[in-house]
Amino acid sequence: MKSDNSLFNKSIAHDSGAKHVSGLAKYTDDISEPLNTLYGAIGWSRNAHAKIKRVDLDAVKNSEGVLTVVTHSDIPGRNDVGPVFDGDPIFPKDKVEYYGQPLFAVAATTIELARKAVLKAKVFYQDLKPIVTIDDALKRNSLLFKPRIIKKGNPNQKIEKSKNKIKGNFTTGSQEHFYLEGQVAFVIPKEDNNYTVYSSTQHPSETQQIIAKMLNQKSNSIDVLVRRIGGGFGGKETNFMTSAICALLSHKTKKPIKLRLDRDDDIIITGKRHDFYSDYEVGFDDDGCINGLKLKLASRCGMSPDLSLAINERALLHIDNAYCLTDLEIKNYLCKTNTASSTAFRGFGGNQGMMAIENIIDNISRHLNKDPSEVRKRNFYGKKSRNITYYGMKINDNVINEIFEDLKIKSNYKKRYSEIKKFNQRNKFKKKGIAITPVKFGISFTTIHLNQAGALVHVYTDGSIHMNHGGIEMGQGTHTKIAQLVANSFGLPYEKVQISSTNTSKVPNTSASAASSTTDLNGAATLNAVSKIKSNLNKFIKKKYKIFSKIEPLYKNGNIYVGNRIFNFEEIIKQAYLNRISLSSSGFYSTPKINFNKKTFKGRPFYYFCYGAAVTEVTIDTFTGESVLDRVDILHDVGNAINPALEHGQIEGGFVQGQGWLTMEEVVWDKSGKIKTYSPSTYKIPAINDIPKKFNVEIFKKGLNVEKVVNKAKTTGEPPLMLAMSVFFAIKDAIASTANYKKSPIIDAPATPEKILLSINKLKNII
Ligand code: MTE
Ligand code: HPA
Ligand code: MOS
C-alpha cells in the first residue's frame, strides 16, 4: 500500500532521549509502590561446588523487619528457570553448583533490612571439588553436551599439502553486561492468584511462562509489563531468577514485592559472556589464502545449559567471518563449570568465533610477513564465485569487498601503515599499531521458530494511534523506529503515535528481543496490523464515496488521496467509526526463506548479513602496557536506515562495548570458583576518556537490504560490537613492532596492560 516517505531515513530523537537525561524516564524501580509493598533480597551460596548439609535460617527469620523467607519447599510447581533445558534451579535442594547460586530469599519492610537479614543465614556445606576453567573441564571431561564435530571437505589433506602451516591457540575472555539498570522485578498480586509482573527483561513472554510454571498456574494468570529497560545486552534474555523469586515472595505473602539486586549481587549471581578457547592448525599458500583449517573450540558455559547450545552454534556459524573456508573441521566442546551459567551477550558467540579466525589470519600474515589487510582480502567471499558458506548458504548480499576497499581509502590506511612503521623506528618506548578488520554477521535467530512477532494497533476516534508490539525498548530505539514506520504508513506526524509498555496481555507468545531482530520482526508485524486497518478504511472510503477505480489510496500529510479526491484522515476516522468500521487490528510476521538443520548443520540460517569494517590506530606504552585509541574509522552497512541517528548511536556504543571486551574488561574467578571482579572497583568498563580520540563513523551510503526487511534497512544491534576486533589487532601490531615485526606476538583477549607487557616480554624472550 502506498504511503508517504517523509519519515523514513529521518534522524528523530529517541522517544525517551529527553526523559533519559532528565531522569523522568520510568524504569521498573521508579514505579510507585502501593503502601503495603515489601522488599526482597536473595541469600546465595558462598561455595562453588558442595553438598548442602543443613541450612539454618532462624536468625534470618528473626531479623528485624523480615516477614517471610522462601526456600525450595515453597515452590508449588517447577523449581527451575532454565529457558530451553532444565538445570537452573531457583533454589537447589541438595547441591550448590556455583558461588552466588541463590539458596533462599526474604521479604522485609525495607530493602536495607531485607539485605541485612539474608547475611544472617548459616549454611553447612560438604565441599566438592570445583571445576572452574575450560582447561579443568576439558581434562575432566565435564561437558554439558556431547562434543560436536563439523567437517567439510578434506582439511587434513589440504593442510598436509599446503606449503605453509601454523598451529596455535587463543582465548577470548568473559564479559559482565554491566547494564546501567540492574536486574529488578516488581510483582503485584491481583484477584484469584493472578499477578501483574513488572520486570527488567528482554523476554516478557518467557518471564510469564516461567512464573506460571513455578506457581503451577496457567500462563493466562500472569501479565508481564515492560515499558523500557536500562540496557540488557543479552543479560536479560534469560536470567529469570529475579522475577521468579519476586513472584514467589508475592505468592507467599500475598503482598506486592519489589526485588532489586544490588550491583555486587547482580554481578555475582547472574551469568556473563562465554569465554572461548580455540586451538588450531591451518594450511595456506604464499598469498595467505587458507587451504584447510582444523579447530577445537571450547567455551566455559557455567553450571547449566541456559542458551549455551545456541551460542556455540552461532560461534560455529561465524568461524568464517567474511572468509571463504572450504575445507575445515571444528570440534566444539561445551564445558560445564562451577561458575554462574554463561549467557547471551551482544554477538551471542558470533564474535567469539570471529575472533578465533581473525587471530589465525593475523598470525598467517605475520608468518608470511605481509600486511594483514592483504591477507584478509585474499580470503574474502566473492560475489559470483566463492560465495557459499561451509554450512551451505549462498551469500547473495556480499558488500564486504567494497566496504573494505572504501574504508582503506577513506582512512588513508596504506600511508598510515607505513608511517607507523617509521614512527616505531624513531620511538623506543611508545609504539603504534594499526589494523583493519571486516565484519559479516548473520541476522535471524538460528532457532528458526523464534523468528516471529506480533503487534496490536488501535486508531482512536480522534485519529490518534496507539501501538503495541512484542519488542522491548532497551535503549536501542526500537519503539522510536517502529513509531516512525507506523506514522509513515498512515501519513501522519510522528507525534500522533503513542508508544506504550510491552505487555503480554496485548501481544502474546513473543520471542526475546534479541538476535538484533527486534525492529525487523516487530516492525513488520506492526505494519501488518496497520495495513489491515488501512484496508478497512480503503474499502469504507470507496464504498461511501462511490469510487470504483482500483486505484490505491495514498496516505500523506494527514490526508488520504484517492485519485484526485482528498480526504482528511481524522474526518475519515470519525466517519468510519460512525459506520461501524473496525479501527483496531493485530498484526503478525514470520521471517521467510530461512531454514536450518541443526543435525546436518546445513541450510540458510540467516535472512541476511550485516557488513562493516573498522580501522583502528593505537599507541601502547611499553613501560606500563597501557593502550590508547588514537583514531578509529568505521564504515558500516545499515541498509536504508529508518533512523540514521539511532544507528550511529548503536555503532558507536557497540564498538566501545567491544573495545571493553577486548582490552580492559576482565572477569576473574579464583581457584575455588569465587568471582573476584564483582564491582566497578575491580571490573573496568570503558569510560568517556577511553573512547577513540578521533572517532569517524560513517554509514555505507550504497547500503540496501536485498531482502524485504522493513524499509530495506539492516539492523545495527549486535554487528558493530565486532568492529572492535580492529582494536585488538592494532594492539597486536604495536606489540609486534617491539621485535621488529619478526615474530608473531602471543596474546589472548582482553589485551589488558598486564597482558600487553607479558606479550612484549615473551616476544623479547625475557620470560
Ligand atoms: N543497545 C542498547 N542501548 N541497549 C542494549 O541493551 N542490546 C544489544 C543491542 N544494542 C542493547 C543495545 C543486543 S545484545 C541486541 S540483541 C540488540 O541491541 C537488540 O535490539 P535490536 O534487536 O532492536 O537490535
Ligand atoms: N541470538 C540471540 N538469541 C537467541 C538466538 C540467537 O541467534 N537463538 C536463540 N536465542
Ligand atoms: Mo542480544 S545477545 O541477542 O540480546
Side-chain angles (χ1 to χ4, degrees), residues 175 233-234 237 273 310-311 314-315 318 343-354 441-442 515-516 657 661 717-722:
Q175 188 178 19
F233 308 111
E237 181 171 341
R273 187 188 285 291
I311 289 162
R314 188 170 275 273
H318 284 80
T343 193
F345 199 135
R346 204 173 196 169
F348 204 76
N351 48 325
Q352 291 97 316
M354 284 152 75
F441 191 76
S516 305
Q657 195 163 39
W661 171 52
E718 293 164 288
L721 179 128
M722 286 144 266

Side-chain angles (χ1 to χ4, degrees), residues 327-506:
D327 296 74
L328 82 164
E329 182 188 271
I330 319 172
K331 289 187 182 156
N332 182 211
Y333 299 83
L334 279 73
C335 297
K336 177 173 169 147
T337 51
N338 294 109
T339 51
S341 193
S342 303
T343 193
F345 199 135
R346 204 173 196 169
F348 204 76
N351 48 325
Q352 291 97 316
M354 284 152 75
M355 275 301 283
I357 192 71
E358 288 301 338
N359 188 56
I360 291 170
I361 298 238
D362 193 79
N363 287 345
I364 290 175
S365 319
R366 298 194 185 282
H367 181 87
L368 296 172
N369 202 11
K370 283 189 182 300
D371 174 350
S373 81
E374 293 299 325
V375 176
R376 290 196 157 94
K377 213 170 95 183
R378 286 264 186 286
N379 284 285
F380 278 160
Y381 281 111
K383 271 203 163 153
K384 298 243 158 64
S385 60
R386 289 170 53 82
N387 60 353
I388 312 237
T389 65
Y390 81 87
Y391 48 88
M393 174 171 171
K394 187 168 175 190
I395 304 173
N396 58 10
D397 60 3
N398 184 0
V399 287
I400 196 58
N401 296 279
E402 287 107 295
I403 289 186
F404 203 74
E405 281 313 304
D406 274 14
L407 183 65
K408 271 178 93 172
I409 294 163
K410 271 185 215 302
S411 64
N412 215 358
Y413 172 85
K414 253 202 161 126
K415 184 152 172 256
R416 287 163 64 205
Y417 182 81
S418 51
E419 276 172 3
I420 281 173
K421 299 222 151 149
K422 284 184 213 139
F423 173 95
N424 288 336
Q425 276 168 0
R426 287 197 309 269
N427 288 275
K428 201 162 173 208
F429 304 119
K430 295 247 177 176
K431 298 287 182 184
K432 274 181 176 286
I434 191 167
I436 176 167
T437 53
V439 172
K440 167 181 135 288
F441 191 76
I443 303 303
S444 292
F445 286 94
T446 56
T447 306
I448 299 294
H449 76 266
L450 298 176
N451 295 287
Q452 57 173 308
L456 181 63
V457 175
H458 306 318
V459 182
Y460 292 106
T461 52
D462 64 352
S464 64
I465 319 282
H466 187 96
M467 71 165 199
N468 265 102
H469 58 81
I472 293 292
E473 176 59 57
M474 57 188 102
Q476 89 280 41
T478 190
H479 285 346
T480 308
K481 292 203 278 185
I482 296 179
Q484 278 178 265
L485 291 173
V486 171
N488 199 66
S489 186
F490 276 125
L492 295 174
Y494 169 75
E495 295 71 31
K496 285 261 179 169
V497 183
Q498 179 66 42
I499 290 164
S500 64
S501 295
T502 312
N503 184 331
T504 52
S505 69
K506 290 198 176 179

Side-chain angles (χ1 to χ4, degrees), residues 79-82 87-93 95 97 101-102 241 303:
N79 179 9
D80 209 294
V81 292
D88 297 286
I90 299 168
F91 300 128
K93 269 190 205 143
K95 196 172 155 191
E97 293 199 274
Q101 183 164 20
M241 200 64 92
M303 46 71 78

Side-chain angles (χ1 to χ4, degrees), residues 453-457 468-470 506-507 522 524-527 529 585-589:
L456 181 63
V457 175
N468 265 102
H469 58 81
K506 290 198 176 179
V507 179
N522 292 280
T526 312
L527 286 184
S585 178
S586 63
F588 183 76
Y589 176 78

Side-chain angles (χ1 to χ4, degrees), residues 38 48 54 65 85 196 342 356 491 532 548 555 578 588 610 671:
L38 299 175
R54 194 162 65 84
F85 306 94
T196 299
S342 303
K532 289 185 197 166
F548 302 108
Y555 288 68
L578 292 173
F588 183 76
C610 288
K671 279 196 190 119

